[in-house]
Amino acid sequence: MSSASSSPNNPINDQQIKHLEFIQAIVARLGNGSFLIKGWTLTAAGIFFAVLSKNLSWKVAVTGFIPIAGFWLLDSYYLRQERLFRKLYDAVRLPGSTVEPFAMNVNDYHSAVPWMNVIRSHTMRNFYGTLALVNLVFLVGGILK
């Protein structure tokens, strides 16, 4: 028996530990991807806001919603994938888990992590909603101009 075999002090085996490490690496990569998306979003929104502050135009303001919405959806995809892999992680970490060793299939958890819940999550609404609100102010200003 290996040192990480099932016992009261260590209820999971070496294979489960390695599987958990693989899943955690995926979660970390997804989190990093989400961070990069937020950086690109701020860059794109900043460019639109800079242009709008110099030359207020409702047409440019309307166009500014496109990258915000696009990045919102892309970031939501990454967040959903991260949540799905966390569900897989929770299933693998249980002693006597029935998850196939080293399986990375998250299809069983799709119903537990609905798209709309992710898109409307506090994280997404606070970040992208704030940018959309600022863009809306520019749009109203451009219309009233």
Side-chain angles (χ1 to χ4, degrees):
M1 233 181 212
S2 68
S3 62
S5 62
S6 293
S7 71
N9 293 337
N10 194 4
I12 59 176
N13 61 41
D14 289 335
Q15 198 173 38
Q16 284 175 295
I17 291 170
K18 195 65 176 169
H19 192 179
L20 292 171
E21 288 172 357
F22 288 156
I23 296 168
Q24 186 56 40
I26 291 170
V27 169
R29 284 195 314 265
L30 289 167
N32 185 52
S34 180
F35 179 77
L36 291 172
I37 290 167
K38 284 180 177 66
W40 279 104
T41 304
L42 285 176
T43 301
I47 290 168
F48 274 98
F49 297 160
V51 168
L52 287 166
S53 68
K54 298 287 184 196
N55 183 17
L56 194 57
S57 165
W58 69 269
K59 293 176 184 176
V60 175
V62 168
T63 307
F65 283 112
I66 295 170
I68 293 171
F71 284 126
W72 191 334
L73 291 173
L74 183 60
D75 199 8
S76 294
Y77 171 80
Y78 273 82
L79 180 58
R80 182 170 189 245
Q81 289 299 116
E82 181 180 330
R83 289 180 179 182
L84 290 170
F85 277 98
R86 287 181 186 279
K87 292 280 186 194
L88 177 63
Y89 186 98
D90 285 342
V92 171
R93 72 176 175 78
L94 298 173
S97 172
T98 59
V99 176
E100 182 180 333
F102 303 104
M104 294 294 177
N105 186 355
V106 293
N107 288 337
D108 293 342
Y109 311 107
H110 280 222
S111 62
V113 186
W115 258 104
M116 289 311 293
N117 288 2
V118 176
I119 290 169
R120 294 185 312 225
S121 69
H122 292 294
T123 306
M124 296 291 129
R125 282 186 305 173
N126 289 342
F127 184 79
Y128 295 98
T130 300
L131 293 174
L133 186 61
V134 170
N135 200 66
L136 182 63
V137 169
F138 280 116
L139 175 62
V140 171
I143 291 171
L144 296 177
K145 177 181 155 185

